[in-house]
Amino acid sequence: MQENNFHINEHSLKTAISKVEPNKLTTRGYNQKDLIEKIRYGDMIYLLLKGRLPSIKESKMFNHVLVSFCDHGVTPPSTQTARIIASSGSPMNSAVAGALLSFGHKHAGAIEKTMELYQSKINSLILTEDVDLDNKQIASLAIDIYNDYYAKKEKIPGFGHRYHDTDPRAEKLIQMAIKEGFVGPHIKLAVAIEDLVHQNKGIKLNVDGANAAILSDLGFTPDLGLGIFIIGRVPGIIAHIHEEKMDEDEFRRFCDLDDIEYGGH
């Protein structure tokens, strides 16, 4: 009889996020009872993702980012998908899942791409403690980025909006960063690029471009960009699902039969 050499590791799953013990839960080294009493929801998200609690400035800026993500109206594919699924009688979790599955390269994909651009370019610099010198480096880098995209005839990610000449969310986020004294190299780069793009193309930062810079200065890596967007976006999706179920007729349709043009033989 062949000996069974298959063994299951007694400790096959490891995590540094949370520990569950009888009558006690610990998250990132903190007792959850203390966290419930002493911190805000945004701080808890920051703790989970970064492994530490944010400073006061970091907490405020991260909160501003999450608020700006919450809802973008009925027009985005994610919202429309969620409402259509909800109108069919599907449960909340199915409608939320449908919304999340609609995120892709053309919808919610810009933030990670923009974070990658900002971070790769800033990492190419040797920044010093000399603010004037660093600002000159960043300004020169912005020119290089603009010229490179212009030569390739490509759109710089994080800029322009189909509805807004000036995205009010991006404008406010940058204002809040300045107000909080939280203007790091990535925000400086975003603003420097915006100056060039606006002068030459009349285009300004959008909410993804502003948030990509803020999240980069907060130390988040690009692979977390979409995840943070989803965390901020889900409350708005849930609100739309609930409204659809409460206020609209069931079985919503994209169009009527008369609106369909048959192109077959």
Side-chain angles (χ1 to χ4, degrees):
M1 185 175 180
Q2 187 175 4
E3 183 181 355
N4 186 351
N5 293 320
F6 180 73
H7 299 285
I8 298 176
N9 188 340
E10 185 179 354
H11 302 291
S12 59
L13 183 60
K14 297 181 180 180
T15 178
I17 299 172
S18 290
K19 182 179 182 181
V20 180
E21 304 170 275
N23 306 316
K24 183 180 180 182
L25 289 93
T26 304
T27 296
R28 297 292 194 188
Y30 295 91
N31 192 312
Q32 278 199 21
K33 291 197 299 184
D34 296 329
L35 295 174
I36 289 169
E37 177 185 4
K38 296 178 180 179
I39 70 170
R40 298 184 179 188
Y41 179 57
D43 296 339
M44 186 64 173
I45 296 169
Y46 192 99
L47 173 64
L48 286 167
L49 297 180
K50 296 278 286 180
R52 65 173 178 83
L53 288 169
S55 67
I56 293 175
K57 285 184 180 181
E58 289 170 334
S59 174
K60 288 181 178 179
M61 291 308 305
F62 192 55
N63 183 71
H64 297 326
V65 169
L66 292 177
V67 171
S68 74
F69 281 144
C70 271
D71 189 58
H72 297 173
V74 182
T75 58
S78 55
T79 308
Q80 293 183 11
T81 300
R83 296 190 74 129
I84 289 169
I85 292 174
S87 76
S88 72
S90 296
M92 176 68 76
N93 60 305
S94 296
V96 171
L100 299 186
L101 289 171
S102 73
F103 293 143
H105 176 66
K106 298 293 185 181
H107 177 33
I111 188 160
E112 288 190 0
K113 189 175 181 181
T114 311
M115 289 175 74
E116 289 171 358
L117 171 65
Y118 292 161
Q119 292 183 29
S120 65
K121 296 302 183 181
I122 289 296
N123 288 342
S124 71
L125 300 179
I126 301 176
L127 297 177
T128 68
E129 297 296 325
D130 188 326
V131 176
D132 290 336
L133 177 59
D134 288 345
N135 288 345
K136 289 178 181 178
Q137 288 192 76
I138 292 170
S140 178
L141 183 61
I143 294 171
D144 291 341
I145 293 169
Y146 175 81
N147 289 338
D148 179 49
Y149 275 83
Y150 181 78
K152 294 185 295 185
K153 297 182 179 179
E154 293 180 2
K155 180 181 177 294
I156 303 176
F159 291 83
H161 196 280
R162 56 181 174 167
Y163 292 127
H164 309 298
D165 294 329
T166 298
D167 189 329
R169 299 160 299 180
E171 185 177 52
K172 188 65 176 180
L173 285 162
I174 298 301
Q175 289 174 358
M176 295 308 298
I178 295 170
K179 179 182 177 180
E180 299 295 345
F182 193 83
V183 180
H186 301 94
I187 294 175
K188 288 180 179 180
L189 178 61
V191 172
I193 297 172
E194 182 182 46
D195 288 341
L196 293 168
V197 175
H198 186 247
Q199 288 173 16
N200 292 281
K201 300 288 186 179
I203 297 172
K204 304 191 77 173
L205 268 172
N206 59 35
V207 66
D208 291 323
N211 279 330
I214 294 169
L215 290 174
S216 294
D217 278 340
L218 283 168
F220 288 101
T221 52
D223 61 297
L224 280 172
L226 179 58
I228 295 170
F229 175 84
I230 289 171
I231 293 168
R233 190 73 181 82
V234 165
I237 289 170
I238 291 173
H240 279 282
I241 293 167
H242 182 66
E243 183 180 68
E244 183 72 27
K245 288 179 175 289
M246 295 296 103
D247 299 345
E248 299 293 338
D249 294 334
E250 294 181 350
F251 204 67
R252 181 189 287 271
R253 293 173 297 179
F254 274 115
C255 58
D256 293 319
L257 286 175
D258 293 339
D259 297 324
I260 300 172
E261 180 180 347
Y262 179 64
H265 299 290

